[in-house]
Amino acid sequence: LNKEMLIGNVGKDPEVKTLESQNKVASFSLATTERFKDRQGQSQEKTEWHNIVVWGKQAELIEKYVEKGSKLYVEGKITTRKWQDKDGNDRYSTEIVAAMFKFLSAKPSASGGQSAAQPQAAAPTASGSGLDDIDDDLPF
């Protein structure tokens, strides 16, 4: 089973590209933060950064509604890409290819207030998984 579920904040505005096939791909980083107390009882935080890739119609929604600081629930699979840099060295990149996501924060309006929440996006293969019914009042 290759499934990753994340709730975090977008680290910078998504980068969206349109391919020759007119299919869109969006990529962005997502920060997840774990808060805990160490052995001395001091509060600690550990932040992990995840590279997220979103394809097709979902990428269009990311382009329209997501910006730096947006809070998202993302579900997908971990993939590793291999390529060669300009010097011929092998390079690797690990990414989460999103199968579905849900907006957990409202998009700011141009006037600085909050607008209505955005729609949720799920790939056809993810429908019926029960994850579409996640409550907006998550405890974390």
mmCIF file of all heavy atoms in Angstrom, residues 44-63:
data_model
loop_
_atom_site.group_PDB
_atom_site.id
_atom_site.type_symbol
_atom_site.label_atom_id
_atom_site.label_comp_id
_atom_site.label_asym_id
_atom_site.label_seq_id
_atom_site.Cartn_x
_atom_site.Cartn_y
_atom_site.Cartn_z
ATOM 1 N N GLN A 44 8.419 21.545 21.878
ATOM 2 C CA GLN A 44 9.267 21.485 20.691
ATOM 3 C C GLN A 44 8.380 21.412 19.449
ATOM 4 O O GLN A 44 7.231 20.988 19.523
ATOM 5 C CB GLN A 44 10.168 20.240 20.726
ATOM 6 C CG GLN A 44 11.082 20.161 21.918
ATOM 7 C CD GLN A 44 12.187 21.198 21.865
ATOM 8 O OE1 GLN A 44 12.724 21.511 20.799
ATOM 9 N NE2 GLN A 44 12.526 21.757 23.016
ATOM 10 N N GLU A 45 8.948 21.807 18.317
ATOM 11 C CA GLU A 45 8.273 21.697 17.021
ATOM 12 C C GLU A 45 9.237 21.101 16.017
ATOM 13 O O GLU A 45 10.420 21.420 16.029
ATOM 14 C CB GLU A 45 7.856 23.076 16.491
ATOM 15 C CG GLU A 45 6.621 23.634 17.077
ATOM 16 C CD GLU A 45 6.153 24.897 16.346
ATOM 17 O OE1 GLU A 45 6.756 25.277 15.320
ATOM 18 O OE2 GLU A 45 5.185 25.496 16.810
ATOM 19 N N LYS A 46 8.707 20.245 15.158
ATOM 20 C CA LYS A 46 9.496 19.696 14.063
ATOM 21 C C LYS A 46 8.663 19.834 12.796
ATOM 22 O O LYS A 46 7.544 19.324 12.725
ATOM 23 C CB LYS A 46 9.839 18.230 14.307
ATOM 24 C CG LYS A 46 10.678 17.638 13.202
ATOM 25 C CD LYS A 46 11.016 16.188 13.476
ATOM 26 C CE LYS A 46 11.835 15.660 12.310
ATOM 27 N NZ LYS A 46 12.061 14.222 12.440
ATOM 28 N N THR A 47 9.192 20.529 11.816
ATOM 29 C CA THR A 47 8.483 20.759 10.560
ATOM 30 C C THR A 47 9.119 19.919 9.456
ATOM 31 O O THR A 47 10.341 19.912 9.298
ATOM 32 C CB THR A 47 8.503 22.246 10.169
ATOM 33 O OG1 THR A 47 7.868 22.991 11.207
ATOM 34 C CG2 THR A 47 7.772 22.496 8.861
ATOM 35 N N GLU A 48 8.281 19.210 8.724
ATOM 36 C CA GLU A 48 8.707 18.450 7.548
ATOM 37 C C GLU A 48 8.128 19.131 6.314
ATOM 38 O O GLU A 48 6.984 19.597 6.335
ATOM 39 C CB GLU A 48 8.181 17.009 7.604
ATOM 40 C CG GLU A 48 8.773 16.165 8.696
ATOM 41 C CD GLU A 48 10.205 15.739 8.432
ATOM 42 O OE1 GLU A 48 10.640 15.740 7.250
ATOM 43 O OE2 GLU A 48 10.887 15.403 9.411
ATOM 44 N N TRP A 49 8.912 19.175 5.236
ATOM 45 C CA TRP A 49 8.458 19.758 3.977
ATOM 46 C C TRP A 49 8.237 18.643 2.971
ATOM 47 O O TRP A 49 9.075 17.756 2.825
ATOM 48 C CB TRP A 49 9.487 20.756 3.451
ATOM 49 C CG TRP A 49 9.513 21.993 4.267
ATOM 50 C CD1 TRP A 49 10.312 22.261 5.342
ATOM 51 C CD2 TRP A 49 8.665 23.130 4.117
ATOM 52 N NE1 TRP A 49 10.015 23.497 5.849
ATOM 53 C CE2 TRP A 49 9.011 24.054 5.117
ATOM 54 C CE3 TRP A 49 7.639 23.452 3.216
ATOM 55 C CZ2 TRP A 49 8.370 25.286 5.245
ATOM 56 C CZ3 TRP A 49 7.014 24.684 3.348
ATOM 57 C CH2 TRP A 49 7.378 25.573 4.350
ATOM 58 N N HIS A 50 7.104 18.690 2.283
ATOM 59 C CA HIS A 50 6.722 17.673 1.311
ATOM 60 C C HIS A 50 6.510 18.345 -0.039
ATOM 61 O O HIS A 50 5.854 19.390 -0.119
ATOM 62 C CB HIS A 50 5.421 16.990 1.735
ATOM 63 C CG HIS A 50 5.434 16.549 3.168
ATOM 64 N ND1 HIS A 50 5.923 15.328 3.568
ATOM 65 C CD2 HIS A 50 5.034 17.181 4.302
ATOM 66 C CE1 HIS A 50 5.813 15.228 4.878
ATOM 67 N NE2 HIS A 50 5.280 16.334 5.348
ATOM 68 N N ASN A 51 7.048 17.744 -1.097
ATOM 69 C CA ASN A 51 6.821 18.225 -2.456
ATOM 70 C C ASN A 51 5.557 17.556 -2.981
ATOM 71 O O ASN A 51 5.458 16.337 -3.012
ATOM 72 C CB ASN A 51 8.004 17.883 -3.354
ATOM 73 C CG ASN A 51 9.273 18.577 -2.908
ATOM 74 O OD1 ASN A 51 9.256 19.745 -2.562
ATOM 75 N ND2 ASN A 51 10.371 17.842 -2.883
ATOM 76 N N ILE A 52 4.585 18.380 -3.386
ATOM 77 C CA ILE A 52 3.290 17.893 -3.856
ATOM 78 C C ILE A 52 3.148 18.177 -5.352
ATOM 79 O O ILE A 52 3.498 19.269 -5.809
ATOM 80 C CB ILE A 52 2.126 18.587 -3.101
ATOM 81 C CG1 ILE A 52 2.341 18.555 -1.581
ATOM 82 C CG2 ILE A 52 0.785 17.986 -3.516
ATOM 83 C CD1 ILE A 52 2.317 17.195 -0.957
ATOM 84 N N VAL A 53 2.619 17.198 -6.092
ATOM 85 C CA VAL A 53 2.352 17.352 -7.522
ATOM 86 C C VAL A 53 0.880 17.025 -7.757
ATOM 87 O O VAL A 53 0.366 16.024 -7.254
ATOM 88 C CB VAL A 53 3.242 16.408 -8.365
ATOM 89 C CG1 VAL A 53 2.916 16.527 -9.844
ATOM 90 C CG2 VAL A 53 4.709 16.703 -8.118
ATOM 91 N N VAL A 54 0.199 17.881 -8.520
ATOM 92 C CA VAL A 54 -1.227 17.715 -8.811
ATOM 93 C C VAL A 54 -1.421 17.875 -10.321
ATOM 94 O O VAL A 54 -0.875 18.800 -10.917
ATOM 95 C CB VAL A 54 -2.075 18.765 -8.049
ATOM 96 C CG1 VAL A 54 -3.546 18.545 -8.287
ATOM 97 C CG2 VAL A 54 -1.757 18.740 -6.563
ATOM 98 N N TRP A 55 -2.210 16.983 -10.922
ATOM 99 C CA TRP A 55 -2.398 16.962 -12.376
ATOM 100 C C TRP A 55 -3.829 17.324 -12.796
ATOM 101 O O TRP A 55 -4.761 17.180 -12.022
ATOM 102 C CB TRP A 55 -2.100 15.563 -12.904
ATOM 103 C CG TRP A 55 -0.652 15.209 -12.836
ATOM 104 C CD1 TRP A 55 -0.008 14.620 -11.793
ATOM 105 C CD2 TRP A 55 0.335 15.440 -13.833
ATOM 106 N NE1 TRP A 55 1.317 14.462 -12.091
ATOM 107 C CE2 TRP A 55 1.558 14.962 -13.335
ATOM 108 C CE3 TRP A 55 0.301 16.017 -15.098
ATOM 109 C CZ2 TRP A 55 2.741 15.021 -14.066
ATOM 110 C CZ3 TRP A 55 1.481 16.077 -15.828
ATOM 111 C CH2 TRP A 55 2.680 15.587 -15.313
ATOM 112 N N GLY A 56 -3.965 17.753 -14.049
ATOM 113 C CA GLY A 56 -5.260 17.917 -14.713
ATOM 114 C C GLY A 56 -6.170 18.966 -14.109
ATOM 115 O O GLY A 56 -5.741 20.064 -13.748
ATOM 116 N N LYS A 57 -7.448 18.621 -14.001
ATOM 117 C CA LYS A 57 -8.460 19.551 -13.480
ATOM 118 C C LYS A 57 -8.140 19.961 -12.045
ATOM 119 O O LYS A 57 -8.409 21.089 -11.643
ATOM 120 C CB LYS A 57 -9.858 18.925 -13.534
ATOM 121 C CG LYS A 57 -10.334 18.603 -14.926
ATOM 122 C CD LYS A 57 -10.949 19.805 -15.556
ATOM 123 C CE LYS A 57 -11.579 19.416 -16.893
ATOM 124 N NZ LYS A 57 -11.725 20.534 -17.774
ATOM 125 N N GLN A 58 -7.577 19.037 -11.279
ATOM 126 C CA GLN A 58 -7.197 19.367 -9.909
ATOM 127 C C GLN A 58 -6.123 20.459 -9.898
ATOM 128 O O GLN A 58 -6.134 21.340 -9.046
ATOM 129 C CB GLN A 58 -6.700 18.137 -9.168
ATOM 130 C CG GLN A 58 -7.786 17.122 -8.916
ATOM 131 C CD GLN A 58 -7.262 15.910 -8.183
ATOM 132 O OE1 GLN A 58 -6.137 15.484 -8.405
ATOM 133 N NE2 GLN A 58 -8.077 15.356 -7.320
ATOM 134 N N ALA A 59 -5.197 20.413 -10.852
ATOM 135 C CA ALA A 59 -4.155 21.443 -10.953
ATOM 136 C C ALA A 59 -4.781 22.804 -11.242
ATOM 137 O O ALA A 59 -4.314 23.831 -10.745
ATOM 138 C CB ALA A 59 -3.144 21.078 -12.034
ATOM 139 N N GLU A 60 -5.860 22.813 -12.024
ATOM 140 C CA GLU A 60 -6.569 24.060 -12.311
ATOM 141 C C GLU A 60 -7.179 24.643 -11.033
ATOM 142 O O GLU A 60 -7.164 25.860 -10.824
ATOM 143 C CB GLU A 60 -7.642 23.838 -13.374
ATOM 144 C CG GLU A 60 -7.068 23.490 -14.733
ATOM 145 C CD GLU A 60 -8.123 23.117 -15.760
ATOM 146 O OE1 GLU A 60 -9.317 23.447 -15.560
ATOM 147 O OE2 GLU A 60 -7.755 22.498 -16.773
ATOM 148 N N LEU A 61 -7.726 23.779 -10.166
ATOM 149 C CA LEU A 61 -8.271 24.245 -8.886
ATOM 150 C C LEU A 61 -7.164 24.778 -7.971
ATOM 151 O O LEU A 61 -7.331 25.799 -7.305
ATOM 152 C CB LEU A 61 -9.037 23.124 -8.188
ATOM 153 C CG LEU A 61 -10.351 22.708 -8.840
ATOM 154 C CD1 LEU A 61 -10.897 21.455 -8.176
ATOM 155 C CD2 LEU A 61 -11.359 23.839 -8.788
ATOM 156 N N ILE A 62 -6.031 24.082 -7.973
ATOM 157 C CA ILE A 62 -4.887 24.548 -7.181
ATOM 158 C C ILE A 62 -4.471 25.938 -7.659
ATOM 159 O O ILE A 62 -4.258 26.850 -6.860
ATOM 160 C CB ILE A 62 -3.704 23.556 -7.280
ATOM 161 C CG1 ILE A 62 -4.034 22.240 -6.578
ATOM 162 C CG2 ILE A 62 -2.421 24.173 -6.761
ATOM 163 C CD1 ILE A 62 -4.125 22.308 -5.072
ATOM 164 N N GLU A 63 -4.383 26.104 -8.971
ATOM 165 C CA GLU A 63 -3.984 27.385 -9.554
ATOM 166 C C GLU A 63 -4.946 28.498 -9.145
ATOM 167 O O GLU A 63 -4.534 29.612 -8.826
ATOM 168 C CB GLU A 63 -3.938 27.253 -11.076
ATOM 169 C CG GLU A 63 -3.514 28.515 -11.796
ATOM 170 C CD GLU A 63 -3.423 28.300 -13.299
ATOM 171 O OE1 GLU A 63 -4.282 27.575 -13.870
ATOM 172 O OE2 GLU A 63 -2.497 28.865 -13.896
#
